[in-house]
Amino acid sequence: MLYKRSSQLFAEAEKVIPGGVNSPVRAFKAVGGTPIFVKSAKGAYLYDEDGNRLIDYINSWGPMILGHAYEPVVQAVIEKAKLGTSFGMPTELETQIAALAVAMVPNIDKIRFVNSGTEACMSAVRLARGFAKKDKIIKFAGCYHGHSDSFLIQAGSGAITFGSPNSPGVTAGTAKDTLLATYNDLENVAALIEANKNEIAAIIVEPVAGNMGCIPPNKGFLEGLRQMCTDNDILLIFDEVMTGFRLAAGGVQELLNVNADIVCFGKVIGGGLPVGAFAARAEIMDYLAPLGPVYQAGTLSGNPLAMAAGLAMLQALDSDRAIFKRLEDKTAYLAAGIDKVLKANNVTFTINTIGSMISIHFDAARVVDFQTAANGDNETFRKFFHGLLQEGIYIAPSAYETWFITDALTYEDLDFTIRAIDKISKTF
Ligand SMILES: *Cc1c(COP(=O)(O)O)cnc(C)c1O
């Protein structure tokens, strides 16, 4: 396949946009070449500016769980747009989506909407610090919680792909309040808590990690964090920006039956429009302005187009709970197919999956944390990525990213992908 017009468009973009992209993960820096420019998308497919059709395994990095241009979402946005696109005043729609989210997700009473996952996590941590009246937080190496200052310490996918786990511009003062722990390692967390007695406001974690490839929690890991938080008066924050409304209607809290104190959302909750949200029991949420002392705000928060898209998406998921099993089945089918052909072609690899998330690491060892994720062979990944691109299959241009399975993907699409991987991996 040719990607000529995309290259030309990228050259134009580079003149006026840093690196030609508005988010670094879209660049092809880690794999070489130039990004693909999208013209449109429908269902499981992207259509690019060169007229190529690509099977999409990124799906806008997660939101499009029902496939692109899902009709009820598109219709909801069109209808709302005709009635005005922003008011900066309350609408009934905000209460409707809030009520549905609170009904779908266990263990939350109230939810506040923002414009991105970054904002959700940033606000959740501020709320946790204000509520707990302590300053420090613990985060895990390889977990990504958006690009706000407190989190750009060993921050997963994007930051790792570009070799800057710790960003300049984050002050030493901010960095010192973020303690770094190892994913799936409870002893490490216990030692940090012990060394910082009564100073830790919150532990923030991706309850299923998705930004260093897909890494499910070891049995007992989340339960252990829950117990330590309860014992030490620390708030547990689940960053479910990726997993919320994806791994189950109620996210990982429901799937693995562990309760967090504050939960962050993004991606699926916005149906493809810019939405994030954070939620907790009333006692914590009422600590926010205008009721409480912790300030948080947004001119476009609860925007009617975004809320209409999000509500249509949540209604679709709520009324078809079988979807989560369907997605899991497809993921398992794809994983088994890839496993078979890679083994037949003597490739060294590990596949991790949970629900509709899957990732392939080109290393033999079990991938359980950032260190084991980083051991993958980048040269093999580069060949794999470009091989897939030539076959008309789009995965993220980084070995640290999860693939997302959507309801729009057919078993024919999955078979096509497995055959393509068989062909490519013969040339490794
Ligand atoms: C994508 C992501 C974020 C950031 O969300 P944005 O909408 O990109 O700001 C935060 N946390 C997790 C787990 C994510 O996957």
Side-chain angles (χ1 to χ4, degrees), residues 53-392:
R53 188 193 87 167
L54 296 130
I55 299 177
D56 186 11
Y57 284 101
I58 306 187
N59 293 290
S60 187
W61 306 87
M64 322 312 297
I65 191 169
L66 302 175
H68 290 285
Y70 179 69
E71 211 52 49
V73 169
V74 172
Q75 280 311 319
V77 172
I78 291 171
E79 289 311 312
K80 270 295 157 202
K82 292 177 191 161
L83 303 175
T85 58
S86 182
F87 315 116
M89 294 165 73
T91 59
E92 185 182 5
L93 189 54
E94 291 161 89
T95 309
Q96 288 168 345
I97 185 172
L100 181 54
V102 166
M104 288 173 79
V105 176
N107 186 43
I108 61 170
D109 299 320
K110 294 187 178 182
I111 185 165
R112 179 161 283 174
F113 285 89
V114 293
N115 306 288
S116 67
T118 293
E119 255 187 89
C121 295
M122 176 187 86
S123 308
V125 161
R126 183 184 304 139
L127 175 59
R129 285 174 163 152
F131 186 81
K133 302 186 176 62
K134 293 183 272 188
D135 288 345
K136 291 184 180 172
I137 60 167
I138 292 179
K139 86 170 277 288
F140 294 87
C143 281
Y144 181 65
H145 306 295
H147 63 93
S148 93
D149 287 3
S150 305
F151 303 128
L152 286 182
I153 323 280
Q154 295 278 331
S157 55
I160 299 163
T161 304
F162 302 106
S164 55
N166 308 306
S167 175
V170 175
T171 66
T174 298
K176 87 171 176 16
D177 285 329
T178 301
L179 308 173
L180 199 61
T182 304
Y183 200 77
N184 274 327
D185 185 345
L186 284 173
E187 279 176 25
N188 177 239
V189 178
L192 282 176
I193 293 174
E194 190 53 40
N196 296 273
K197 269 254 173 276
N198 301 319
E199 290 185 277
I200 299 170
I203 296 179
I204 185 165
V205 65
E206 288 181 66
V208 166
N211 285 288
M212 42 183 168
C214 163
I215 303 185
N218 285 344
K219 211 168 162 36
F221 178 60
L222 297 178
E223 292 82 351
L225 290 182
R226 174 68 273 170
Q227 194 58 49
M228 283 182 205
C229 284
T230 304
D231 293 348
N232 293 282
D233 230 345
I234 294 170
L235 294 166
L236 181 60
I237 304 175
F238 274 5
D239 176 356
E240 297 224 43
V241 170
M242 189 182 282
T243 54
F245 306 99
R246 165 171 292 283
L247 294 184
V252 178
Q253 285 196 108
E254 175 190 323
L255 184 75
L256 300 178
N257 195 24
V258 181
N259 282 347
D261 295 301
I262 306 179
V263 192
C264 306
F265 297 103
K267 299 192 170 118
V268 175
I269 201 173
L273 269 79
V275 179
F278 58 107
R281 56 184 184 270
E283 173 201 16
I284 297 176
M285 290 308 281
D286 289 348
Y287 219 71
L288 277 177
L291 285 182
V294 172
Y295 198 70
Q296 185 280 325
T299 301
L300 291 171
S301 293
N303 172 270
L305 302 192
M307 295 297 97
L311 181 61
M313 175 66 92
L314 296 197
Q315 282 170 337
L317 297 173
D318 187 45
S319 61
D320 178 16
R321 299 280 180 109
I323 184 182
F324 301 103
K325 177 73 170 74
R326 279 205 302 281
L327 292 173
E328 189 181 338
D329 289 346
K330 281 184 193 173
T331 308
Y333 181 87
L334 181 66
I338 296 173
D339 185 82
K340 195 167 157 214
V341 299
L342 289 184
K343 274 190 183 132
N345 293 326
N346 294 314
V347 178
T348 301
F349 70 98
T350 301
I351 298 180
N352 282 1
T353 71
I354 183 167
S356 53
M357 294 163 64
I358 172 170
S359 65
I360 303 167
H361 294 266
F362 292 105
D363 190 62
R366 230 179 117 226
V367 175
V368 295
D369 58 16
F370 174 63
Q371 194 51 52
T372 44
N375 288 341
D377 181 37
N378 280 329
E379 194 42 45
T380 304
F381 180 80
R382 203 189 301 254
K383 285 188 214 157
F384 184 67
F385 173 82
H386 283 289
L388 286 175
L389 209 50
Q390 281 312 311
E391 299 296 321

